[in-house]
Amino acid sequence: LTKESFIDFAIREKVTLKSIINWIDQGIKDSRNTVDCSDLPKINWRKPDEKVIEELSLIAQNARRERETLLEQSSEDENFKSIDKKIFNKQDYLLFKTKRAEKLRKLVNRKILLDELKSDAKKFKLQLSDVDKNNKFLSLIGSFVLDKKTSVINSDVMDLSVCGAVYPYNSLISGKLAALLMSSNEARHIFEEK
């Protein structure tokens, strides 16, 4: 499924722009409910603004830098046992704070674009054929399709993006070994139990 095939489908099945807007809006609501925002700024989802996007971007950058600093400090220590476990917990926390802030930033940006599209659709009585070549609309559709693909994949796929980069293996080049171990029967069993 691509944004082009989605638009072709919508045109062929005579799906209205209003229906697509509602689907995208619901997708944004569903996505934002999956993000832990307890340590991130409160967002007015009825009227989000560019300031929130900048703030979330800054939070992500700062968390990324702080994590990189902690990683450098821990890799310089030749005796892994002397490194406090709190540092590793902090590294994980900062990694996921970065990811959550980035995801929220993208959602806020999509919500702003969607609100503009809603306003224009209402003001100018737009139809799907009026916007199907518009870059902002295509961006919204692309994000919507990606979210749908991701939700389907997430139900059956495990994310191993961090597997080879956590203590005490972060100094080793062992990504293939880690991936191989994650496909073991034991790992599959644990995954199925969750």
Side-chain angles (χ1 to χ4, degrees):
L1 182 65
T2 64
K3 59 186 169 187
E4 292 81 11
S5 65
F6 177 83
I7 291 171
D8 290 344
F9 162 79
I11 291 170
R12 187 175 58 250
E13 296 297 322
K14 297 179 177 39
V15 177
T16 64
L17 179 60
K18 184 176 181 179
S19 295
I20 293 173
I21 289 172
N22 289 337
W23 293 343
I24 294 171
D25 200 20
Q26 186 60 50
I28 291 171
K29 287 176 186 171
D30 293 345
S31 291
R32 77 174 203 230
N33 288 335
T34 65
V35 180
D36 175 15
C37 301
S38 58
D39 57 347
L40 297 173
K42 186 130 175 90
I43 297 169
N44 177 2
W45 286 100
R46 291 178 191 247
K47 192 82 170 140
D49 60 16
E50 297 287 334
K51 290 179 187 175
V52 176
I53 293 174
E54 292 171 18
E55 188 176 357
L56 289 167
S57 185
L58 187 62
I59 288 170
Q61 287 174 354
N62 290 338
R64 187 177 297 114
R65 275 193 217 114
E66 188 178 349
R67 180 174 184 270
E68 288 170 0
T69 302
L70 287 173
L71 283 170
E72 287 172 12
Q73 290 170 353
S74 64
S75 67
E76 290 170 2
D77 189 340
E78 293 177 16
N79 185 3
F80 286 125
K81 293 179 183 175
S82 70
I83 299 173
D84 190 356
K85 186 175 181 178
K86 288 180 184 178
I87 291 174
F88 295 108
N89 290 339
K90 178 93 173 178
Q91 289 173 357
D92 287 346
Y93 166 75
L94 291 169
L95 171 67
F96 292 110
K97 184 174 184 176
T98 302
K99 288 184 175 189
R100 290 181 292 116
E102 283 295 318
K103 182 172 183 177
L104 212 51
R105 181 189 61 78
K106 290 175 184 175
L107 286 173
V108 171
N109 189 46
R110 286 196 340 222
K111 178 66 172 155
I112 290 170
L113 288 175
L114 184 65
D115 288 348
E116 289 172 6
L117 178 62
K118 281 181 186 178
S119 173
D120 289 348
K122 188 175 183 178
K123 186 189 302 184
F124 301 113
K125 296 183 174 44
L126 297 176
Q127 302 296 316
L128 180 57
S129 59
D130 299 325
V131 296
D132 66 345
K133 303 287 188 243
N134 179 287
N135 287 335
K136 289 181 180 180
F137 177 72
L138 292 174
S139 172
L140 283 171
I141 293 297
S143 299
F144 173 73
V145 168
L146 181 63
D147 278 354
K148 291 303 170 193
K149 283 195 255 185
T150 302
S151 68
V152 169
I153 290 172
N154 279 348
S155 64
D156 292 328
V157 177
M158 206 175 352
D159 180 14
L160 295 175
S161 61
V162 184
C163 188
V166 290
Y167 173 79
Y169 308 107
N170 57 342
S171 64
L172 303 174
I173 301 172
S174 59
K176 290 179 184 174
L177 174 62
L180 183 61
L181 290 172
M182 291 310 297
S183 66
S184 69
N185 289 333
E186 293 85 358
R188 275 185 268 174
H189 179 68
I190 291 168
F191 180 70
E192 288 170 2
E193 286 179 353
K194 288 189 173 204

